[in-house]
């Protein structure tokens, strides 16, 4: 599922530092990735249920090389490390988590990022994957000063049970007024009917929303950036659109 077990040997080498973000009731470990200029617009990277695995560290490095200050947080820190990067262990850990708390933690992370001296403007980017994409939509609905790119988010909720579920994006579409770009594949297990219903709701309220659905692409198709597969075309096309979206709304070196 998603990007467990993937590494990216071509990820650029960038400066990164381990940090802690003050969140309600604790400190969330995170890594801050810096562009070679030392300053730039901020992006918070929200992972899938596996947390900050090597694939996401590579994505953060790619963005930093494009001129962004990227925060990669471990929002499952309360549940501890995964014994193994397997679907079963990932679902088991998620079942002990609280998605509403995860939203609060990421809101704190966005505020922390906005206050960093390396970040040059208040508006930041959110880049969310799978469950992280769903949380990014929740943050936009909660009024975060942000723009969002979501890969394979769940418009009708992440299916695995947990202690407390996040609001369903389809139910709060009227409140998601920030610019959003969403990527899905039509071979995903997320039903096309849910994707279409969410898009219709966003357009109904006149929000700046764009969706791309890639033919033949499955869940986790951005893996095609680092491995040759049938999803490689969708991966590269979507990544170009993602970079253009952030460049248009945030700036960066592009």
């Amino acid at each position: 599922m998603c990007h467990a077990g993937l590494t990216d040997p071509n990820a650029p080498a960038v400066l990164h530092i381990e940090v802690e973000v003050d969140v309600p009731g604790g400190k969330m470990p995170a890594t801050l990735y810096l562009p070679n200029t030392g300053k730039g617009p901020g992006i918070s990277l929200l992972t899938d249920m596996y947390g900050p695995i090597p694939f996401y560290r590579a994505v953060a490095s790619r963005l930093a090389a494009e001129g962004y200050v990227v925060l990669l947080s471990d929002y499952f820190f309360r549940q501890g490390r995964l014994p193994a990067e397997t679907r079963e262990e990932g679902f088991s850990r998620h079942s002990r988590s609280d998605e509403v708390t995860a939203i609060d933690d990421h809101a704190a992370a966005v505020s922390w990022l906005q206050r960093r001296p390396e970040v040059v403007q208040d508006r930041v980017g959110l880049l969310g994957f799978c469950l992280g994409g769903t949380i990014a939509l929740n943050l936009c609905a909660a009024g975060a000063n942000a723009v969002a790119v979501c890969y394979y988010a769940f418009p009708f909720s992440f299916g695995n049970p947990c202690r407390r579920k996040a609001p369903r994006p389809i139910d709060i579409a009227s409140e998601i007024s920030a610019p959003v770009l969403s990527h899905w594949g039509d071979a995903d297990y997320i039903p096309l009917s849910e994707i279409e219903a969410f898009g219709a709701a966003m357009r109904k309220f006149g929000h700046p929303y764009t969706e791309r659905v890639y033919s033949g692409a499955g869940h986790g198709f951005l893996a095609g950036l680092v491995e040759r597969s049938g999803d490689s075309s969708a991966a590269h096309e979507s990544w170009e659109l993602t970079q253009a979206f952030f460049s248009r709304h945030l700036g960066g070196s592009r």
Side-chain angles (χ1 to χ4, degrees):
M1 183 176 180
C2 284
H3 309 105
L6 284 176
T7 58
D8 183 357
N10 297 315
V14 299
L15 178 64
H16 57 278
I17 55 176
E18 300 304 313
V19 297
E20 289 185 325
V21 177
D22 288 324
V23 297
K27 292 184 179 292
M28 180 166 62
T31 307
L32 190 69
Y33 293 76
L34 298 171
N36 59 12
T37 59
K39 292 181 178 291
I43 293 177
S44 180
L45 200 165
L46 291 72
T47 72
D48 62 29
M49 68 179 183
Y50 292 108
I53 55 177
F55 176 82
Y56 293 114
R57 296 187 181 279
V59 170
S61 295
R62 286 173 178 261
L63 289 169
E66 292 287 342
Y68 299 100
V69 178
V70 184
L71 182 66
L72 175 61
S73 304
D74 182 5
Y75 64 100
F76 284 103
F77 72 99
R78 291 182 174 87
Q79 290 75 44
R81 292 180 177 272
L82 282 178
E85 286 180 25
T86 65
R87 183 184 181 93
E88 293 73 19
E89 293 291 353
F91 277 134
S92 176
R93 183 173 68 171
H94 172 262
S95 71
R96 303 191 301 274
S97 72
D98 181 328
E99 291 178 1
V100 176
T101 296
I103 293 169
D104 292 341
D105 289 345
H106 277 298
V110 167
S111 295
W112 183 93
L113 185 62
Q114 290 168 326
R115 296 193 301 269
R116 289 293 298 191
E118 301 92 344
V119 174
V120 297
Q121 61 191 41
D122 286 339
R123 175 180 256 191
V124 300
L126 304 174
L127 176 58
F129 294 82
C130 193
L131 174 60
T134 308
I135 293 173
L137 293 172
N138 276 269
L139 289 171
C140 289
N145 186 10
V147 301
V149 176
C150 302
Y151 278 85
Y152 6 101
F154 291 83
F156 283 68
S157 175
F158 188 65
N160 194 56
C162 65
R163 289 174 52 208
R164 187 168 44 157
K165 301 296 290 182
R168 303 191 316 166
I170 188 65
D171 295 332
I172 55 175
S174 64
E175 302 167 49
I176 306 173
S177 58
V180 173
L181 169 63
S182 290
H183 300 292
W184 284 285
D186 67 4
D188 200 332
Y189 51 78
I190 300 172
L192 281 174
S193 59
E194 294 186 4
I195 295 168
E196 292 166 355
F198 181 67
M202 292 291 283
R203 287 184 283 273
K204 171 186 174 183
F205 296 110
H207 298 325
Y209 174 74
T210 303
E211 66 186 30
R212 292 287 185 270
V213 180
Y214 300 89
S215 177
H219 198 78
F221 66 76
L222 196 65
L225 282 181
V226 300
E227 62 181 9
R228 293 184 63 85
S229 69
D231 289 343
S232 292
S233 176
H236 287 280
E237 180 182 347
S238 70
W239 189 243
E240 285 296 319
L241 291 172
T242 292
Q243 292 178 92
F245 178 89
F246 284 138
S247 178
R248 182 166 65 254
H249 291 287
L250 300 177
S253 61
R254 280 204 161 198

